[in-house]
Each structure stands twice: as structure tokens, then as C-alpha cells.
Amino acid sequence: MASLVMSGTLVFCGLASNVEARTLRYAIGHPPSSSVVDVTKKYADEVEALSDSELSVRIFPMSLLNFAETSGGVRDGMADIGFVLTSYFPSEYPHSNMAVEASMLVGLLGEKAQGREGMIFMGALSEFTFFNCPECSQEFSAQNQVYTGSTGGTSYGLVCNEPVETEADLKGMRLRVGASNWSRWAESVGASPVTMSANEMFEALGQGVVSCIVLASPEIHNFGLTDVVTDINMDVPGGPMPIAGTNINADTWKSLSLEQREVMLRAASVFSAGVPWIYHQQEDRILSEAKQRGVAIHHADQALIDKTQAFIRDDMQHIAEGYRTRYGVENGEEMIANFQGLLEKWTDLVQNVETEQELADLYWEEIFSKVDVEKHGL
């Protein structure tokens, strides 16, 4: 799968072969059967191939650190690399989470974005974080981490134990949400948002603690929710959940040679592309299999869709004001406008992408290859 890549004066072939191999520990909160872990294995294979086995990655799925522990664990060196959900830590990553909370903007991109939302968003977010948000790099540095790209799946809908088609259906419902934007959307339609770890979703939905989970459909498989889901509506609220998927402990990063850092970035571009690609490939299959099991697939009425789109437009101002008030982010409006422009750019860039490798190559050429490994993270 791996291919030799040249960028500037660094060439991946020819890394020192007489150096003892080094193993990097990767912590991810997903279970071993998750398709995200499958992509992580590709990332590990890429690291080993591009470094001529000088580096290897050992994956710890849902064992070394859970989602809530990963940020601190990477910071403290319990893992060298981690799958960091910055939205779990709003005060630590306020500038980074500004763009994360704007994920529902993909719902306003029109037909060109449909079926490509994840690919668009992860490209835009990676470019934004590397090159347009110095405050983001400072936030990761404060947590003793180095950012090496964002990833995530498809747009989020409603995975439920009762039907939802209208705003009236949502009134009084308890919805598990994983980020503040979906929490605000839930409140706007009369539902009650509930925050809990992703690892608690099965029990919450199965026992009726919540009526729905705001989630991407492939996560039904990834988190083993098959037996507790009876109804699905993927029309609302929309927007993917982005993750800093390959954050590296800063001490580990500094100990790598320039060639090794570029290897890690090239592998990260593969990881960043792999998750949205596999989610988009799985989305229709997951919904079809659910329907065959007797799960009811619902669609939102036009009134609920219109209300959701109006909410998205209004919420951008709320995000900027909220981050200014709570976290002192003074340039929120400018950041969101900048990021919205990148979303439109990436909507055009991914139109002709037909394979996972093409998406990885696009990410590499447009974003990751342009990162200065002599300065980034230092």
C-alpha cells in the first residue's frame, strides 16, 4: 500500500537501516473491531514502510487509554501518539474547537458536498489548523502535544430507540451529544442534550436513559450498538465529528529526526484520508443492513430541515460570541469566516476523488507536504 514519496529535499527511501527499530505506542478509545482501528493499522503499516522499519507503531485499542484519558495520556507520555477528541476538553483547546463546533456548516454546502462531507471537512480542518490557526498549535503545545492532522467520519444523524421525523417528535427527548453544537441544536428543537463518554452509549440507549444518540451511522457497528437501535434518521442534525487523530507527544516528536517527522506526517495524511473514506463507503451498507434487521429508517420533514439550516446560520454567531465570553477567543468571527472559505475550497477539491489513495495523495500534496518539519511543534 505504501509508496515512496519525495518532498523538498527529504526522501523517504534511504533512511538509516542500521539504527535499532523504535516502537511508538498509539492509544485509541475505539474497540478493536472498529473500522477506525482498521485505518489505524494502515497508518502503522505506512510508518513502518516509509521508515524502512526504523519506526513501528503498536496500537492499543480501548485499552491503554479511553477517549476521556487520551489527551492527558499523550501529554504525560503514557502514549506516544493518541486519538484526541478535543471537544471533550473545551477549556484546553478553545481555538481548535471553534472550527470543530462549526462542523454543521457542511449542511449548507449544497448538493456538491453530499456524500463527501467528511472528506471536505477533514481537508479543510487540517489545512486550517496547520496554517491558519497559530493559536491552535499553541494549545497543543501547552498540552505537550504536536498536531499532525485531523480526521473523522460522515455527518451525524439520529440513532434512536423511537422514531423521529418532526420537531414535535423531538420535544422532551433526551439526546446523547458529543459536542456543544449538537447540544445547542437539541435545545433549539425542544430536546434535552445529555453528555456522556462514547463508551457509555450502548447502555444508555439500551436502558432508555436516552432516546437517541447524535452519531454517524457507521458508529453503530464501531461501538456495537446494533442490538439497541430500532430507529434511524440521518437527515438531521448533520456535521461530522473531527478528531486530532494522530497527535504526538511533544517529547517524542522532538526526539525524531527530520526524515522521521516527515514519515509521521505522510502516514498521518493516509490516516486523515482513511477514516472519512471508509465511513463514506460504509454509510449506505450500514443503513441497508439495519433496515434488513427491521430497523426503521426515517426522514425529517421539510419543516425540521428548514429549522436545522436556520439554526446552523444563526449558530455561527453564537459560537463566536460564546468562545469570546468563555475562553477569551477574540477573533472568532474571522476564524469562522476563514474556515467557511476553506470548506468551499475543499468542496471543489474533492469532486474528482475516486479512491482512498487519491484522497490521501490530495491531502499530502495540498496540506501535509507543506508543513515545515524543522519548525512545526518546536
Side-chain angles (χ1 to χ4, degrees):
M1 172 187 159
S3 58
L4 295 177
V5 180
M6 180 180 292
S7 173
T9 60
L10 295 179
V11 183
F12 290 132
C13 56
L15 295 182
S17 58
N18 58 350
V19 178
E20 184 178 351
R22 179 180 180 184
T23 300
L24 305 177
R25 297 158 297 163
Y26 183 106
I28 181 168
H30 282 275
S33 60
S34 166
S35 57
V36 181
V37 174
D38 292 338
V39 178
T40 307
K41 293 174 183 176
K42 292 182 181 180
Y43 168 77
D45 290 343
E46 197 80 359
V47 169
E48 186 164 2
L50 292 173
S51 68
D52 286 342
S53 299
E54 187 177 311
L55 297 173
S56 65
V57 176
R58 182 181 178 187
I59 304 164
F60 292 87
M62 207 169 69
S63 54
L64 182 60
L65 300 166
N66 64 30
F67 287 121
E69 297 167 337
T70 302
S71 180
V74 174
R75 177 196 64 211
D76 297 337
M78 294 179 65
D80 297 293
I81 313 166
F83 193 83
V84 178
L85 281 76
T86 60
S87 60
Y88 276 29
F89 312 98
S91 61
E92 285 89 343
Y93 306 105
H95 291 84
S96 304
N97 283 332
M98 279 279 297
V100 169
E101 281 205 41
S103 70
M104 291 176 71
L105 280 172
V106 297
L108 304 180
L109 293 172
E111 293 184 2
K112 287 178 67 175
Q114 290 180 5
R116 296 177 180 269
E117 296 93 341
M119 294 184 276
I120 293 165
F121 197 87
M122 304 317 151
L125 183 58
S126 294
E127 180 174 348
F128 175 82
T129 307
F130 275 127
F131 306 121
N132 298 78
C133 184
E135 301 92 344
C136 296
S137 294
Q138 292 165 11
E139 289 167 359
F140 290 119
S141 178
Q143 298 301 315
N144 200 37
Q145 298 176 31
V146 176
Y147 172 83
T148 62
S150 296
T151 196
T154 48
S155 284
Y156 275 36
L158 299 171
V159 176
C160 309
N161 56 26
E162 55 184 287
V164 175
E165 295 181 348
T166 69
E167 183 177 352
D169 294 331
L170 286 161
K171 296 292 185 185
M173 272 193 173
R174 289 168 57 84
L175 311 182
R176 184 270 174 184
V177 297
S180 297
N181 54 340
W182 293 312
S183 178
R184 292 189 298 273
W185 173 82
E187 292 173 342
S188 78
V189 295
S192 298
V194 178
T195 302
M196 65 179 66
S197 169
N199 304 112
E200 301 173 32
M201 294 188 300
F202 180 91
E203 184 177 358
L205 192 62
Q207 295 184 1
V209 175
V210 297
S211 298
C212 296
I213 300 171
V214 179
L215 203 64
S217 59
E219 305 290 23
I220 296 171
H221 162 73
N222 291 336
F223 288 100
L225 302 176
T226 300
D227 293 338
V228 293
V229 175
T230 61
D231 298 85
I232 298 173
N233 185 333
M234 297 306 300
D235 295 342
V236 292
M241 168 67 89
I243 301 100
T246 51
N247 269 22
I248 299 178
N249 171 272
D251 299 314
T252 299
W253 177 261
K254 292 171 186 175
S255 72
L256 299 175
S257 68
L258 297 184
E259 291 86 352
Q260 289 172 336
R261 292 175 196 163
E262 194 161 353
V263 163
M264 300 307 294
L265 285 170
R266 183 62 180 98
S269 71
V270 170
F271 188 88
S272 291
V275 176
W277 182 265
I278 198 170
Y279 270 57
H280 281 297
Q281 299 306 303
Q282 290 182 343
E283 191 167 32
D284 290 343
R285 177 179 61 81
I286 293 292
L287 294 175
S288 177
E289 291 176 354
K291 189 174 182 178
Q292 291 173 11
R293 293 193 305 270
V295 174
I297 308 298
H298 304 277
H299 293 283
D301 68 3
Q302 192 60 46
L304 181 54
I305 291 174
D306 290 345
K307 179 152 190 173
T308 297
Q309 292 189 337
F311 165 82
I312 296 169
R313 295 184 182 94
D314 293 342
D315 196 48
M316 294 307 112
Q317 184 63 35
H318 178 95
I319 291 173
E321 292 175 354
Y323 273 79
R324 180 184 297 110
T325 301
R326 295 194 301 273
Y327 307 114
V329 176
E330 296 299 333
N331 57 339
E333 294 91 345
E334 180 183 349
M335 289 177 66
I336 292 174
N338 185 350
F339 185 63
Q340 192 162 8
L342 289 174
L343 287 172
E344 293 167 358
K345 168 187 171 179
W346 277 91
T347 300
D348 292 332
L349 283 175
V350 303
Q351 288 305 304
N352 296 321
V353 170
E354 296 183 354
T355 68
E356 182 179 350
Q357 187 61 53
E358 287 180 1
L359 183 62
D361 290 343
L362 180 64
Y363 283 178
W364 171 251
E365 292 161 7
E366 291 287 334
I367 309 169
F368 292 80
S369 66
K370 299 176 182 179
V371 176
D372 185 348
V373 294
E374 292 191 56
K375 298 179 180 178
H376 182 65
L378 301 178

